[in-house]
């Protein structure tokens, strides 16, 4: 167990990034296919193929999910993931071709680094090519490369966000894992203690985003300039409807760690992918998915490194 989503059988992860431009993408591959659902709870989302995941629609399995920076431009990275999977003869067989099903979601990282450089088809292809079952780097990697946290006092006072992951194994061998790119407008807190880990950082002090809302209910950030995007995977049997319910429950992991979550400034999205196995009650998977997602968010902030003058949690002055 690596305490990462790759602990779930049938899951591979690869990332690619441009550290000068501060942007990147992460490909989560399910080469054997996975039944998937999604829950979009933020009000400024950038997504691809989410309608397909509606339980009333035909296609029941995905072959990868792409998380990317670059705002809506970054959706292009999913085409590179599709290209890689097609080369591997992986996809939905439609007779004349196999069409890889690759839902995607993006976050907004354009203000940092170079706004003219965004994840594209080539970067998505590189991320998919790099996908492995081996332990991967978190923090300033992949979709978390340009992620930031805590912008309710203004973008100038944000801290570094990043890519995070976590997992847990049940006694019956079922593994629930999560991966997340953490880029919220609000601050990130330890769900066990309430300690603010990253948020608005001004004059050497971490500010409380909820108090900022009480003091000035008009945040000084543009809509859509944030977003936390993630994936939960499990080696159990779920229907599309059940996967969608688990995605809804997993959003509690955002609410336990991000203050505030699901705002007009965020496009918060969670995908759930079930790679198959035994039947486990939906409430068990959903309840634990929220726990694992919260742990992944904390991991993202704690493993992030300072970049482009944006301070990270690990570089905060110690009391």
């Amino acid at each position: 167990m690596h305490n990462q989503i790759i602990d779930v059988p049938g899951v591979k992860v690869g990332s690619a990034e441009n550290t000068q431009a501060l942007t990147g993408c992460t490909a989560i591959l399910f080469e054997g296919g996975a039944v998937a659902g999604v829950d979009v709870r933020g009000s400024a989302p950038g997504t691809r193929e989410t309608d397909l995941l509606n339980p009333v629609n035909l296609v029941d399995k995905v072959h990868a999910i792409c998380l990317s920076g670059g705002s809506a431009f970054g959706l292009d990275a999913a085409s590179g993931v599709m290209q890689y999977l097609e080369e591997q003869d992986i996809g939905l067989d439609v007779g004349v071709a196999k069409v890889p099903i690759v839902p995607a979601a993006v976050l907004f990282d354009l203000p940092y680094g170079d706004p003219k450089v965004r994840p594209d088809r080539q970067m998505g292809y590189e991320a998919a090519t790099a996908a492995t079952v081996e332990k991967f780097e978190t923090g300033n990697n992949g979709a978390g490369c340009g992620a930031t946290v805590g912008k309710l006092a203004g973008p100038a006072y944000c801290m570094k966000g990043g890519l995070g992951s976590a997992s847990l194994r049940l006694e019956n061998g079922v593994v629930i894992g999560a991966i997340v790119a953490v880029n919220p407008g609000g601050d990130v807190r330890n769900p066990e203690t309430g300690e603010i880990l990253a948020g608005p950082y001004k004059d050497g002090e971490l500010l409380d985003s909820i108090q900022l809302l009480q003091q000035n209910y008009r945040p000084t950030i543009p809509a859509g300039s944030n977003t936390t995007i993630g994936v939960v995977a499990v080696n159990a049997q779920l229907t599309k409807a059940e996967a969608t319910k688990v995605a809804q429950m997993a959003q509690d992991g955002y609410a336990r760690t991000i203050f505030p979550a699901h705002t007009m400034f965020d496009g918060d999205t969670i995908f759930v992918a079930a790679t198959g196995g035994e039947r486990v009650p939906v409430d068990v998977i959903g309840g634990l998915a929220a726990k694992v997602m919260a742990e992944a968010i904390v991991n993202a902030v704690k493993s992030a490194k300072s970049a482009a003058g944006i301070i990270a949690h690990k570089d905060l002055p110690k009391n």
Side-chain angles (χ1 to χ4, degrees):
M1 293 284 288
H2 299 296
N3 196 26
Q4 293 187 329
I5 193 172
I6 43 92
D7 293 327
V8 179
V11 178
K12 294 181 177 180
V13 172
S15 288
E17 60 280 320
N18 184 320
T19 55
Q20 281 69 48
L22 277 185
T23 195
C25 64
T26 298
I28 303 94
L29 270 53
F30 315 100
E31 294 176 339
V35 176
V38 67
D39 186 74
V40 180
R41 199 154 297 194
S43 292
T47 57
R48 165 175 166 158
E49 293 277 44
T50 50
D51 282 353
L52 174 146
L53 300 179
N54 189 310
V56 305
N57 291 333
L58 175 66
V59 175
D60 65 346
K61 287 189 176 182
V62 305
H63 305 99
I65 295 171
C66 183
L67 306 179
S68 181
S71 189
F73 296 109
L75 290 170
D76 190 36
S79 296
V81 180
M82 286 187 69
Q83 177 186 345
Y84 170 81
L85 290 171
E86 184 182 26
E87 291 174 358
Q88 308 306 310
D89 198 35
I90 295 170
L92 174 66
D93 192 342
V94 295
V96 295
K98 287 188 178 179
V99 181
I101 306 301
V102 185
V106 295
L107 56 80
F108 186 90
D109 56 9
L110 299 181
Y112 313 101
D114 186 346
K116 296 296 185 181
V117 176
R118 306 105 179 202
D120 56 10
R121 184 188 185 104
Q122 180 60 33
M123 187 179 284
Y125 183 84
E126 291 171 3
T129 302
T132 176
V133 296
E134 301 300 321
K135 187 176 179 67
F136 55 90
E137 293 293 325
T138 55
N140 298 25
N141 290 78
C145 185
T148 52
V149 171
K151 286 149 273 191
L152 293 189
Y157 304 109
C158 68
M159 287 181 60
K160 191 70 183 70
L163 186 72
S165 193
S167 71
L168 63 81
R169 184 192 296 272
L170 304 181
E171 290 182 358
N172 61 3
V174 170
V175 180
I176 302 168
I179 187 170
V180 62
V182 181
N183 186 62
D187 54 55
V188 173
R189 307 186 188 195
N190 183 325
E192 303 295 331
T193 65
E195 174 195 4
I196 299 176
L197 302 174
Y201 188 68
K202 188 175 182 179
D203 300 327
E205 180 183 2
L206 266 173
L207 305 181
D208 185 319
S209 293
I210 301 301
Q211 289 184 8
L212 289 175
L213 291 177
Q214 290 178 266
Q215 295 162 7
N216 177 11
Y217 62 88
R218 296 188 181 184
T220 57
I221 53 176
S225 58
N226 304 287
T227 298
T228 298
I229 49 178
V231 178
V232 170
V234 60
N235 61 327
Q237 290 186 44
L238 292 175
T239 65
K240 285 175 70 175
E242 290 170 337
T244 300
K245 183 59 184 178
V246 171
Q248 292 176 350
M249 296 177 72
Q251 291 275 9
D252 288 351
Y254 285 14
R256 293 171 190 170
T257 53
I258 299 170
F259 292 77
H262 311 138
T263 74
M264 297 297 293
F265 306 94
D266 295 271
D268 296 342
T269 300
I270 294 180
F271 297 95
V272 167
T275 60
E278 63 181 274
R279 295 287 301 177
V280 178
V282 172
D283 286 342
V284 172
I285 298 174
L288 294 176
K291 169 183 168 63
V292 175
M293 181 58 74
E295 292 174 355
I297 291 170
V298 171
N299 171 251
V301 168
K302 287 189 172 182
S303 59
K305 300 174 184 177
S306 300
I310 305 168
I311 193 169
H313 168 80
K314 63 174 56 180
D315 294 322
L316 287 174
K318 300 298 186 288
N319 294 328

